[in-house]
Amino acid sequence: MKTVYDLTIRDKNAIEIEEIQLNMDNKQILTKLLKEYKYIKELSQYNLNINHKLLLHGHTGCGKTTTAKAIAKALGKKIVIVNLSNLISSKLGETAQNIQVLFEKAANEKAVLFLDEFDYIGKARDLEDTDAGEMKRLVNNLIQLIDYYPTDAILIAATNHLKILDAAIRRRFQINLKFELPTKAELDVYYANLLSQFPVRFREIKRSYEISYAEAKDRLNTQVKWKIIEELEQANG
């Protein structure tokens, strides 16, 4: 594993929350979250803690990582991005230590800790093999770290498989955001925004639907690239 100090970033390319393709419910939830941080001192006078543990779940490629980065940018915080599937060591004791170091680092820096593929540990907890007991201890340790994560830092976990997460883990999160495949209307707006950066002659593309934003962007970029290449080849004879 890389040292955790290599994982802390302040993403200058992160977009604003207002620019993310989110449904209205998710936008309202995030708007309220940011306002909690704006009035954190006033709320603390009434012994009211802010919500700082978010679980992002749903279809892949629909903006979970982008949302985490946008939250960090909006709050002026660094973000620690960890893919849990890559963190599991063959020695589970080392894995528990690595996770604890990550939590401590993010907490000390008052950063956003983003745990991607969060279901990996939740799913592994149910394995019936010789390491099942050790894995359960690992998950119990993770639950404790979540419980004591300080309110001046933010914990965001992301999963494409909400149903397989352990219930004890799921209920630790105060905010749940569901990311679904965009509708046709939402994708049309997204396509229009992406195409606006290109000359008009490259904007006629075949639009695909019932796909994620990430897939839509990849397909659009591929078509536009070939339009540009075809024009260049015609110009060069």
Side-chain angles (χ1 to χ4, degrees):
M1 173 186 167
K2 295 168 66 177
T3 66
V4 294
Y5 297 99
D6 295 334
L7 297 171
T8 304
I9 59 173
R10 193 182 298 276
D11 193 342
K12 297 180 180 179
N13 296 319
I15 65 176
E16 305 292 340
I17 286 181
E18 294 79 8
E19 300 175 38
I20 304 175
Q21 306 297 322
L22 295 171
N23 61 40
M24 188 58 64
D25 288 342
N26 286 351
K27 283 185 178 180
Q28 290 178 349
I29 291 172
L30 291 180
T31 298
K32 290 180 179 179
L33 173 68
L34 296 182
K35 286 186 178 181
E36 286 189 30
Y37 274 87
K38 181 179 180 180
Y39 298 107
I40 185 171
K41 292 183 179 179
E42 291 81 355
L43 292 173
S44 65
Q45 294 176 4
Y46 297 93
N47 295 319
L48 293 171
N49 292 325
I50 57 175
N51 291 327
H52 67 295
K53 300 170 187 175
L54 294 80
L55 181 59
L56 316 184
H57 57 91
H59 199 284
T60 184
C62 289
K64 293 187 288 295
T65 302
T66 302
T67 298
K69 290 181 177 181
I71 290 172
K73 180 177 181 179
L75 296 176
K77 292 181 176 291
K78 294 180 179 179
I79 184 168
V80 179
I81 300 176
V82 184
N83 187 316
L84 284 182
S85 67
N86 296 331
L87 191 63
I88 302 299
S89 169
S90 58
K91 298 179 180 179
L92 293 180
E94 291 183 0
T95 300
Q97 183 178 6
N98 290 339
I99 292 176
Q100 183 169 348
V101 171
L102 284 168
F103 269 77
E104 290 175 352
K105 173 178 172 52
N108 290 335
E109 296 194 7
K110 300 179 181 180
V112 174
L113 176 56
F114 179 59
L115 303 177
D116 200 7
E117 293 197 27
F118 190 63
D119 54 276
Y120 192 85
I121 287 183
K123 180 172 58 177
R125 189 182 191 186
D126 295 327
L127 289 177
E128 295 182 359
D129 57 25
T130 56
D131 290 328
E134 185 66 27
M135 182 58 74
K136 288 181 179 179
R137 284 190 287 273
L138 171 61
V139 175
N140 289 335
N141 182 63
L142 177 60
I143 289 174
Q144 290 182 347
L145 291 171
I146 294 173
D147 284 342
Y148 293 103
Y149 199 65
T151 56
D152 55 2
I154 299 178
L155 175 64
I156 304 178
T159 177
N160 301 331
H161 309 286
L162 179 66
K163 292 182 179 180
I164 68 174
L165 279 184
D166 186 274
I169 293 179
R170 288 173 59 176
R171 67 170 177 261
R172 259 66 188 182
F173 293 88
Q174 303 135 332
I175 295 176
N176 279 257
L177 299 182
K178 184 177 182 180
F179 290 74
E180 301 178 293
L181 286 177
T183 64
K184 181 178 184 298
E186 289 170 339
L187 276 175
D188 279 332
V189 172
Y190 186 61
Y191 281 128
N193 289 337
L194 292 177
L195 288 168
S196 64
Q197 63 183 301
F198 302 109
V200 175
R201 64 184 184 279
F202 298 136
R203 296 181 187 176
E204 289 297 323
I205 65 164
K206 180 181 178 181
R207 298 188 177 191
S208 299
Y209 299 98
E210 297 184 359
I211 59 176
S212 69
Y213 288 114
E215 292 171 309
K217 184 176 182 179
D218 287 342
R219 295 187 187 188
L220 179 149
N221 285 344
T222 296
Q223 293 184 65
V224 172
K225 282 188 290 186
W226 278 106
K227 285 182 177 293
I228 295 173
I229 290 171
E230 288 174 357
E231 181 180 276
L232 292 171
E233 288 191 335
Q234 290 177 2
N236 293 330

